[in-house]
Amino acid sequence: MAKRDVPEINAGSMADIAFLLLIFFLVTTTMDVDTGISRKLPEKQPEDMPEPPKLKEKNVFIVTVNRNNDILVEGETFMTIDKIREEALKFIDNGGGLGNPIDGAEPAECDWCEGAKDPLSSDHPNKAIISLESDRGTSYGTYIAVQNELVGAYTDLRNRLAEKEYGMSYTQMLKDQKNSQNNETLNERIKLIKGKYPQIISEAEPTK
Amino acid sequence: MSKFKKKKKGMPGISTASLPDIVFMLLFFFMVTTVMRETELKIKKPTLPKATEIKKLERKSLVSYIYVGKVKDQNGDKIQLNDRIADVKDVKYFIFAERETHPEDEIPLLTTSIKADIATNVGTITDIKEELRNINALKINYSTLKGNVMDNVK
């Protein structure tokens, strides 16, 4: 029997096929990364909820944005967006009194605050509440800008504290946490910093 | 002389044998990185606000998107869920449907990303948030781009 040659498959058109697929994926691909400001909504309160405890006025920092996108702080001063971060920072970091007890310990002063210790401003970072009031007609852009500045104030404070305590910014610590799996000391430190400057921002329901 | 007869020199053709390999490499890269766009935008592409304190959304499979923006030739803000323009009341059904597609232990991790245009009224956003609160979908993310916040108010 004559030995038959197995004919080789011509691979010349392979490139064409691959190109075709390549172009398809090139066209359909979207490389956008999703970024944004993350928030957690408060849980729905039952109707028969007892009245929430009254808060001292000095512990609440009210930022109001009206329908013309004007920003009013504490109901009296008009402010531009770039000033809010500074004002919020001053308010949170004031440390003028005793804070809420942490882990059942006696209420203590904020010994990591560097604020003015003004008795008329907030007592302690864990008591300081920022309330953001808006109108239905406020534009979303302004609303986000204000939120961003408020979150920014907390980030600045956390960065400062982390820098002082561990020689590393809080933002960097969060990045490291993402890259390393279960680094106990790091997780512990982040929790500590978060606890010292807890982010308490309330988004009030808008005025009609 | 004849031993060293000059060979005819032409430009040797470049071998294209490795071309498929290169193309395949690119192909695999794009195949892996590609995310098929799930929904087609019915509203005008929202101009997202800018912010600096942003976080990256990890695990895209856990994120459901709500688009808010304007529709051509119509007044008011419109909400788009999946492929169609919907009412605020439909948000809860949308979230329920999203929950159906995930195992139970992942449900608390589900995040709702609100992609809204900067010119949207906060009222619309609040309505959506209220709906989400009603059904206990508490993790939200205001979708923003990285940039200067002052650009939002111009």
Side-chain angles (χ1 to χ4, degrees), chain A residues 136-149:
Chain A
R136 286 194 73 88
T138 308
S139 93
Y140 182 62
T142 317
Y143 185 71
I144 289 295
V146 175
Q147 285 231 10
N148 180 64
E149 291 307 292

Side-chain angles (χ1 to χ4, degrees), chain B residues 67-82:
Chain B
Y67 296 87
V68 186
K70 295 266 189 293
V71 175
K72 220 177 168 185
D73 305 326
Q74 279 186 57
N75 287 328
D77 301 320
K78 294 282 184 287
I79 299 166
Q80 179 179 348
L81 307 167
N82 287 331

Side-chain angles (χ1 to χ4, degrees), chain A residues 34-35 37 136 138 140 203, chain B residues 65 115 120 127 129 142 144:
Chain A
D34 268 313
T35 51
I37 302 176
R136 286 194 73 88
T138 308
Y140 182 62
E203 300 166 38
Chain B
Y65 296 96
K115 285 181 180 276
T120 312
D127 292 342
K129 281 191 332 203
Y142 300 115
T144 56

Side-chain angles (χ1 to χ4, degrees), chain A residues 56-71:
Chain A
K56 278 192 202 150
E57 211 171 286
K58 66 170 187 173
N59 279 328
V60 187
F61 184 76
I62 304 170
V63 183
T64 319
V65 192
N66 74 2
R67 61 175 62 230
N68 301 322
N69 299 329
D70 301 320
I71 300 155

Side-chain angles (χ1 to χ4, degrees), chain A residues 92-99 108-114 117 123-126 196-197:
Chain A
I92 303 160
D93 202 29
N94 181 56
L98 302 176
E109 266 186 52
C110 170
D111 49 13
W112 57 89
C113 294
E114 295 171 14
K117 307 226 181 292
D123 282 335
H124 193 280
N126 70 17
K196 286 190 169 175
Y197 284 117

Side-chain angles (χ1 to χ4, degrees), chain A residues 3 15 29 35 40 51 72 90 117 123 129-131 136 139 141 158 181 197-198 200 203:
Chain A
K3 207 180 154 197
T29 200
T35 51
K40 188 136 200 230
E51 276 282 297
L72 196 65
K90 266 191 223 156
K117 307 226 181 292
D123 282 335
I129 292 171
I130 295 185
S131 167
R136 286 194 73 88
S139 93
R158 287 175 177 178
Q181 300 294 319
Y197 284 117
I200 319 172
E203 300 166 38

